């Protein structure tokens, strides 16, 4: 895995039209992007289509990446997720049911989290998520990892949509308070 | 700040976070994109949530795509130039992004990749040159910002003079027209004339960097839409096609291909009433010149919802 600063260099070179740099960036990040696409879209054919679209977008928009506002993987993952949600929410032919996605997402804890190889940002986010109430933590994780809409969360967790919206709201505001005290 | 301001701020935070989490439906996502097109502060809030939540990608197992994927991507980018850089590194950033010492626990493969990724020396020169440009760039950015602000102020003033002149300070109110009148007193008769203007609806389509790319406006009485193209022409052999999605569960319906002129006027499908049009989602996709062969959008569909820009009834305006 390349460090963030190397990825910034590769993106800057990509913005100048350097295809080799872009290929290196692809090789270093394809696992993350394809894994995310597959998790959200389930069908490999659809996941590959969305991932390809995301990399074309990353190539085109590489000049608008601003390292002051975040790291490259965050930026690239956001591009992929936006495209995946366009498929999921706006194209009715895309898989909607969420398939066999797990209904629990476990957070690393204890020794696993104390490992010095765990990036600081991830440790902080996990610690903040762990401090939320169970319901808020659950809906935030299921939404992010499975890509479920409020309605899908309500159906899968057998709760009214209003309760899901409230848990999401509490979770979002709690997380902001914890991350930016 | 009052409690209501706090609530509004919180609503924005929650909306931005839900957009990033993916819990919003198509309408909610279109509204967020609309908000992003007109509110740079909101764009920043969305960016913050993308950043805050991105570390969660570590909870999702990576997976390797099959090798032909790269060939497909390479073929697709061959005809596209990346957009010009929008940011200029400052001198401090140039040092901040220089390669860090390699950590010993990284595998040989990673080390090889790191070597490949190490920037060539000339990039450092390029960064310095860019840093030298930064003050000039900042000057032009400031100038642009000030000009935009002035233009907005003039526009707001002009609108206020037209619509609510009594809100303006005396000096800015439009001067009453001087009309020569005969000496005898003429009784003024005022006729109430109802406004002939219809409520107007527009939708803004933005490009990948959030700049407006197409403006769509709907003429409900004529059952037509007009699209103003703001971005450059479609690539050679391609055209932009307009779609409408009117009800959940229904796919996008094609409205027609946008021409090469700045404006394209297209008819809306028959049988759509005004509320259905006002609540519809519109989409634009890149297609072959003759339109999508399958009757469905072939590429990514960029979508937008209508917003009403002029109230259905104007408040009474003093003559």
């Amino acid at each position: 895995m390349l460090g963030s600063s190397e990825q910034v260099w590769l993106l800057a070179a990509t913005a100048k039209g350097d295809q080799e740099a872009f290929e290196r960036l692809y090789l270093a990040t394809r696992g993350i992007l394809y894994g995310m696409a597959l998790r959200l879209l389930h069908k490999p054919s659809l996941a590959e289509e969305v991932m390809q679209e995301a990399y074309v977008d990353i190539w085109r928009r590489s000049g608008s990446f601003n390292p002051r506002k975040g790291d490259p993987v965050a930026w690239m993952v956001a591009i992929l997720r936006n495209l995946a949600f366009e498929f999921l929410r706006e194209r009715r032919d895309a898989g909607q049911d969420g398939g066999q996605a797990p209904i629990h997402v476990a957070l690393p804890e204890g020794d696993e989290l104390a490992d010095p190889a765990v990036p600081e940002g991830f440790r902080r986010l996990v610690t903040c998520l762990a401090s939320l109430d169970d319901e808020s933590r659950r809906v935030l994780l299921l939404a992010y990892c499975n890509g479920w809409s409020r309605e899908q969360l309500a159906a899968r967790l057998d709760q009214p949509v209003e309760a899901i919206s409230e848990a999401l709201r509490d979770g979002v505001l709690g997380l902001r308070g914890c991350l930016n005290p | 700040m009052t409690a209501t301001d706090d609530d509004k701020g919180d609503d924005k935070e929650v909306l931005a976070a839900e957009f990033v989490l993916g819990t919003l439906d198509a309408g909610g996502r279109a509204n967020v994109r609309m908000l992003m097109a007109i509110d740079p502060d909101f764009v920043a809030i969305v960016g913050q949530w993308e950043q805050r939540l991105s570390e969660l990608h570590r909870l999702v197992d990576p997976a390797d795509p099959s090798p032909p994927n790269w060939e497909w991507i390479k073929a697709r980018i061959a005809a596209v130039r990346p957009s010009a850089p929008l940011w200029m590194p400052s001198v401090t950033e140039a040092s901040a992004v220089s390669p860090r010492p390699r950590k010993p626990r990284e595998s040989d493969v990673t080390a090889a990749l790191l070597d490949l990724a190490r920037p060539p020396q000339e990039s450092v020169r390029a960064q310095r040159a860019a840093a030298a440009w930064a003050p000039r760039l900042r000057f032009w950015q400031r100038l642009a910002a000030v000009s935009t602000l002035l233009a907005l102020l003039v526009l707001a003033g002009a609108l206020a003079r037209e619509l609510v002149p009594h809100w303006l300070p005396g000096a800015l109110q439009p001067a009453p027209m001087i009309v020569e009148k005969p000496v005898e007193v003429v009784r003024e008769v005022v006729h109430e004339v109802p406004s002939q203007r219809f409520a107007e609806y527009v939708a803004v389509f933005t490009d990948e960097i959030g700049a407006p790319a197409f403006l769509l406006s709907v003429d409900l009485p004529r059952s037509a839409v007009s699209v103003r193209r703001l971005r450059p022409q479609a690539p050679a052999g391609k055209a932009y096609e307009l779609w409408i999605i009117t009800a959940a569960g229904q796919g996008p319906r094609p409205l027609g291909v946008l021409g090469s002129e700045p404006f394209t006027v297209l008819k809306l499908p028959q049988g759509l009433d005004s509320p259905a049009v006002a609540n519809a989602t519109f989409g634009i996709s890149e297609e072959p010149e003759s339109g999508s062969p399958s009757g469905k959008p072939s590429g990514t569909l960029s979508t937008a919802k209508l917003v009403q820009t002029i109230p259905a009834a104007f408040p009474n305006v003093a003559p």
Side-chain angles (χ1 to χ4, degrees):
Chain A
M1 187 63 212
L2 297 181
S4 173
S5 53
E6 287 79 14
Q7 289 164 351
V8 171
W9 271 110
L10 291 178
L11 263 178
T14 300
K16 291 180 201 147
D18 182 343
Q19 281 203 23
E20 249 177 73
F22 186 55
E23 184 170 3
R24 275 180 236 148
L25 188 67
Y26 170 78
L27 290 174
T29 54
R30 63 183 170 175
I32 297 174
L33 264 64
Y34 182 64
M36 180 68 77
L38 198 57
R39 178 71 175 261
L40 296 178
L41 297 156
H42 312 292
K43 289 184 207 155
S45 59
L46 204 52
E48 290 192 343
E49 191 183 334
V50 168
M51 181 201 67
Q52 286 173 17
E53 200 66 43
Y55 276 105
V56 174
D57 248 17
I58 290 163
W59 165 265
R60 264 207 323 235
R61 294 162 57 179
S62 47
S64 65
F65 169 73
N66 183 345
R68 271 172 285 193
K69 292 191 179 161
D71 75 54
V73 167
W75 183 74
M76 293 166 74
V77 165
I79 288 177
L80 177 108
R81 287 177 64 89
N82 273 329
L83 286 171
F85 288 126
E86 274 186 36
F87 268 75
L88 282 171
R89 305 276 180 267
E90 288 154 25
R91 271 182 57 166
R92 305 291 162 178
D93 51 342
Q96 291 278 347
D97 58 350
Q100 324 76 5
I103 203 155
H104 293 286
V105 179
L107 284 176
E109 44 190 29
D111 290 350
E112 218 180 327
L113 205 58
D115 185 339
V118 172
E120 184 50 39
F122 181 61
R123 187 178 300 128
R124 217 167 131 225
L125 183 59
V126 168
T127 312
C128 280
L129 279 165
S131 74
L132 299 177
D133 66 80
D134 291 349
E135 207 46 42
S136 292
R137 179 173 58 250
R138 190 178 184 202
V139 290
L140 285 186
L141 288 173
L142 285 174
Y144 185 90
C145 295
N146 292 353
W148 286 345
S149 65
R150 287 183 200 162
E151 290 72 20
Q152 285 171 316
L153 284 163
R156 298 300 292 268
L157 300 177
D158 199 17
Q159 286 182 17
V161 177
E162 297 73 38
I164 299 294
S165 299
E166 206 167 307
L168 280 167
R169 187 183 175 87
D170 290 349
V172 164
L173 296 177
L175 203 55
R176 182 189 59 174
C178 177
L179 289 169
N180 305 56
Chain B
M1 192 186 265
T2 65
T4 327
D5 287 339
D6 273 344
D7 285 349
K8 274 188 194 156
D10 287 352
D11 288 348
K12 268 190 173 183
E13 287 281 337
V14 174
L15 188 64
E18 285 208 59
F19 178 73
V20 176
L21 283 166
T23 46
L24 301 177
D25 60 14
R29 294 186 68 78
N31 285 338
V32 167
R33 273 196 294 271
M34 173 73 72
L35 205 49
M36 288 173 78
I38 56 175
D39 184 355
D41 290 344
F42 188 69
V43 176
I45 298 175
V46 171
Q48 282 169 2
W49 278 106
E50 284 174 352
Q51 196 60 35
R52 283 183 190 134
L53 295 173
S54 78
E55 283 289 330
L56 284 180
H57 77 76
R58 296 177 197 280
L59 297 177
V60 175
D61 292 334
D64 270 337
S66 61
N69 276 286
W70 172 246
E71 298 306 320
W72 278 106
I73 295 167
K74 210 162 76 175
R76 297 256 324 262
I77 62 169
V80 192
R81 290 272 323 154
S83 57
L86 294 179
W87 62 277
M88 289 283 176
S90 65
V91 179
T92 45
E93 268 179 358
S95 60
V97 295
S98 62
R100 286 177 306 201
R102 198 185 306 159
K103 291 180 194 127
R105 61 186 158 72
E106 277 157 346
S107 70
D108 288 339
V109 178
T110 315
L113 273 173
L114 276 176
D115 275 332
L116 285 173
R118 191 142 289 130
Q121 280 306 305
E122 64 183 39
S123 299
V124 176
R125 281 204 299 278
Q127 283 247 339
R128 287 207 188 107
W133 266 93
R136 268 186 270 177
L137 177 76
R138 274 196 292 276
F139 166 76
W140 287 109
Q141 281 170 338
R142 278 196 207 115
L143 186 63
V146 170
S147 322
T148 309
L149 190 65
L150 278 176
L152 283 173
L153 279 174
V154 170
L155 180 67
L159 279 174
R161 271 170 71 104
E162 285 297 317
L163 299 177
V164 283
H166 53 287
W167 285 6
L168 294 174
L172 290 176
Q173 287 188 8
M177 276 226 254
I178 298 166
V179 180
E180 278 187 32
K181 286 186 178 178
V183 181
E184 66 262 35
V185 177
V186 178
R187 263 189 71 209
E188 273 187 54
V189 182
V190 179
H191 294 283
E192 286 280 331
V193 181
S195 167
Q196 293 297 306
R197 300 173 76 169
F198 290 97
E200 283 182 25
Y201 292 87
V202 299
V204 185
F205 292 85
T206 54
D207 64 13
E208 47 284 342
I209 57 165
F214 297 96
L215 283 178
L216 177 148
S217 52
V218 172
D219 188 340
L220 284 174
R222 290 190 183 78
S223 190
V225 288
S226 160
V227 181
R228 169 75 163 93
R229 185 170 51 77
L230 301 170
R231 67 153 53 177
Q233 299 281 2
K238 297 278 186 182
Y240 296 113
E241 185 161 7
L242 183 68
W243 307 81
I244 186 169
I245 306 162
T246 46
Q250 274 189 356
R253 279 190 272 176
L255 293 180
V257 173
L258 304 182
S260 54
E261 309 77 29
F263 287 98
T264 305
V265 177
L266 297 165
K267 289 296 278 183
L268 284 165
Q270 287 189 334
L272 278 185
D273 56 3
S274 300
V277 174
N279 289 315
T281 301
F282 288 87
I284 290 180
S285 65
E286 198 180 288
E287 304 291 347
E289 262 173 327
S290 54
S292 163
S294 63
K296 286 179 178 180
S298 15
T300 309
L301 195 62
S302 155
T303 57
K305 299 273 285 184
L306 291 172
V307 283
Q308 192 172 350
T309 53
I310 295 177
F314 261 97
N316 275 338
V317 177

